[in-house]
Amino acid sequence: SGCLAIIAVGIFPDAEVDAADLSADALEVARINVDDHDVADRVNLLHGDLFHAVEGRTYDLIISNPPYVAGGEVQAFPPEYGHEPVMAHLGGEDGLDLVRRILADAADHLNPGGGLLCEIGTGRELLEAEYPDLPFLWLDTEESSGEVFWLAADALR
């Protein structure tokens, strides 16, 4: 929907933001929202699969809310969730496939002193077990605890 990019340009008034999505339909919605918020001159909407959309670019901050729902949970969704495409939710068998890809490639796209902010849902224990050497800083939100992490660029290198 472009909501993270729109929020980012509101918080960082001098920033230019690249927003990437694999779904062309999602990018159409994002374009409407970016135009409605009058930030089209500062938000670049890019079509592509994660970092493939921003090849060769580096950032001070990467914000990601990838699909992170486990396969079994997606199959049990109530009917009203059928209005959104499965790809908007499905993060693989355990929900962390895309998060793993982000962790593998984020360092190549972060400037020194930068960092990664990522929402992962309820996969914290799995992620910490799989990456015991990463110093995840878990952030609470208004509605959740331990579903969003911060990692400094140096920790990902």
Side-chain angles (χ1 to χ4, degrees), residues 13-104:
D14 296 326
E16 184 177 323
V17 175
D18 289 339
D21 203 298
L22 184 58
S23 168
D25 290 340
L27 288 169
E28 285 181 34
V29 172
R31 171 60 54 210
I32 293 166
N33 292 332
V34 163
D35 289 345
D36 283 351
H37 286 84
D38 198 28
V39 293
D41 60 328
R42 295 181 50 218
V43 175
N44 304 310
L45 298 175
L46 306 169
H47 184 247
D49 186 15
L50 296 177
F51 294 111
H52 294 274
V54 296
E55 198 63 42
R57 298 180 192 180
T58 60
Y59 302 92
D60 294 325
L61 175 63
I62 296 172
I63 302 170
S64 182
N65 181 15
Y68 55 72
V69 181
E73 293 175 38
V74 169
Q75 292 176 351
F77 273 173
E80 61 268 20
Y81 281 46
H83 295 288
E84 294 184 355
V86 171
M87 73 180 288
H89 301 282
L90 183 61
E93 186 176 329
D94 66 4
L96 296 176
D97 287 359
L98 293 162
V99 175
R100 287 182 187 95
R101 290 179 51 206
I102 291 166
L103 289 172

Side-chain angles (χ1 to χ4, degrees), residues 106-154:
D108 294 336
H109 297 277
L110 282 167
N111 296 323
L116 167 65
L117 185 67
C118 185
E119 182 174 354
I120 65 151
T122 59
R124 178 179 178 170
E125 289 180 12
L126 289 171
L127 204 61
E128 287 179 328
E130 191 168 334
Y131 298 91
D133 297 329
L134 285 180
F136 295 101
L137 172 62
W138 295 97
L139 306 170
D140 293 340
T141 69
E142 206 170 292
E143 298 180 15
S144 70
S145 179
E147 296 184 12
V148 176
F149 68 79
W150 167 263
L151 282 170
D154 291 343

